[in-house]
Amino acid sequence: MQSNDYTMNLRRDVFQAIADPTRRAILLLLASQSMTAGAIAANFDTARPTVSKHLQILTECELLQQEQQGREIYYHLNAQKMKDIADFIEPFRRMWDERFDRLESVMKNLQTPK
Amino acid sequence: MERKTQVHAETGRQELLITRQFNLPFELLFRAHTEPDLVAQWMGTKVLKLEAARHGSWQFETSDAQGNVVFRANGVFHEFEPNRKITRTFEMENSPFAVQLEFLEFEALSADTSRLSMHIIFKSVALRDQLLQMPFAAGLNMAHDRLEKTAGRLLPPIS
C-alpha cells in the first residue's frame, strides 16, 4: 500500500491515519519511548520529508503529541487517542458476544429438554 | 478475563475475524445456524426464508414495537458442508453497505465444546470501518427486548 499523503485535502481521520503501514510502524516505534523526528526517520528507508509528513498527519489527528525539550521536539503517543481506537470495535464485539450467549442458551435448552 | 468472543480487525484491511468458543457440541452449534426457529431466537430477528443448502437463500427482517420494518437483510449460501462450513453472502437492504462475504467454520474442541470462526470480507476498508462504527445493532436490538421477554417466558432458566 502506498501513501498519497501529499493531497492536502485528505480527511484527517484517525482511521485513515492508521491505515498507512509506515504510520502504523511509527506508532509502534513510539509505543515505549519519545523520539525526535530525526531519530524516527533513521528507522525508515523512506525520505526524511516523507517521514515528516507522516508525523504531521499523526499529530494533526492527535495520535501523536509534540513536546519541546531544549532545542529538540520529541514526539510521543497520545495514550487516550490510542485507547479510542482500541475501543472502536468494542460495541461490535459486545453485540456478537450477546448474540452468541443467546445462541448458547437457546441450544443448551434444546439439548436438555424438560 | 478472557473474552469469549474475539473480534480481530486489523487496520487497513477489508476483513474481520470473529471467533467464539461455545459450551456446545459442534453439531448443535451448526444447527443453530440452519434452523429458522433457532436462528430467529438468537439473532433476534424474524426469519423470512432460510434455505440452508448450497445455492439456497435467506432473508431476515426485524420490526420495531409498532411493527415498522427497521432492518432487512438477505444473502445466499455458496458452500454448505454440514457441521463444518458455511460460506454465504450478507447484504443489508436499503443501506449504503455493499454485500459482504462470510466464511463460517465450525470446529469441535471436545465432546461438549466447539468453536466458530467467522471471516467476513468487505468491499472496502472504509465500508468495514463504517460498519464497525455505526450503531447498526439498534435495528436488531429493538426487537431483541421483546424477544428476551418472550424467550424468558418460554425457556426455563439456564443452569
Side-chain angles (χ1 to χ4, degrees), chain A residues 2-54:
Chain A
Q2 73 280 19
S3 11
N4 294 318
D5 304 327
Y6 293 101
T7 38
M8 287 306 291
N9 58 1
L10 189 80
R11 197 160 61 95
R12 295 289 185 251
D13 177 89
V14 173
F15 296 101
Q16 214 159 342
I18 59 172
D20 181 276
T22 305
R23 289 198 287 271
R24 292 205 298 271
I26 292 172
L27 293 174
L28 280 178
L29 200 58
L30 291 171
S32 58
Q33 58 194 331
S34 306
M35 294 170 81
T36 62
I40 294 167
N43 286 275
F44 298 94
D45 294 333
T46 323
R48 172 77 188 259
T50 309
V51 172
S52 300
K53 192 73 206 171
H54 286 312

Side-chain angles (χ1 to χ4, degrees), chain B:
Chain B
M1 192 187 78
E2 172 95 15
R3 287 168 155 172
K4 282 193 286 184
T5 304
Q6 299 189 321
V7 175
H8 304 272
E10 215 177 298
T11 46
R13 300 194 60 157
Q14 62 206 80
E15 62 185 348
L16 271 185
L17 184 65
I18 303 173
T19 54
R20 159 83 181 217
Q21 291 192 19
F22 292 88
N23 291 317
L24 291 171
F26 69 101
E27 297 94 337
L28 279 182
L29 175 60
F30 189 82
R31 222 178 121 191
H33 287 81
T34 61
E35 290 185 23
D37 280 1
L38 300 175
V39 172
Q41 286 186 60
W42 70 267
M43 283 286 291
T45 187
K46 193 167 155 187
V47 177
L48 300 180
K49 182 158 82 163
L50 183 64
E51 302 163 333
R54 186 170 156 81
H55 301 160
S57 63
W58 62 268
Q59 192 175 31
F60 298 163
E61 184 181 276
T62 304
S63 306
D64 63 15
Q66 285 73 46
N68 306 307
V69 173
V70 290
F71 174 89
R72 195 184 282 140
N74 73 78
V76 294
F77 292 97
H78 286 249
E79 288 178 296
F80 192 86
E81 292 180 31
N83 296 331
R84 282 201 54 227
K85 188 164 141 182
I86 291 175
T87 304
R88 67 184 184 200
T89 56
F90 174 98
E91 182 179 17
M92 267 189 265
E93 297 176 17
N94 301 317
S95 86
F97 294 98
V99 62
Q100 61 200 49
L101 181 58
E102 304 184 338
F103 298 90
L104 282 71
E105 281 180 14
F106 304 81
E107 195 183 345
L109 296 175
S110 71
D112 301 315
T113 59
S114 53
R115 178 166 43 216
L116 170 66
S117 312
M118 274 179 82
H119 183 189
I120 307 179
I121 318 283
F122 297 83
K123 190 182 178 196
S124 68
V125 176
L127 279 177
R128 182 201 70 170
D129 290 351
Q130 239 177 339
L131 184 85
L132 284 174
Q133 284 174 82
M134 74 177 267
F136 67 100
L140 289 171
N141 285 345
M142 272 186 246
H144 178 188
D145 293 344
R146 268 185 314 162
L147 177 97
E148 275 195 339
K149 282 180 203 128
T150 322
R153 270 202 311 271
L154 294 177
L155 304 175
I158 311 301
S159 54

Side-chain angles (χ1 to χ4, degrees), chain A residues 34-35 65-70 72-76:
Chain A
S34 306
M35 294 170 81
Q65 287 169 332
Q66 295 176 333
E67 197 183 331
Q68 184 91 37
Q69 286 183 18
E72 304 273 25
I73 292 172
Y74 280 82
Y75 289 87
H76 61 91

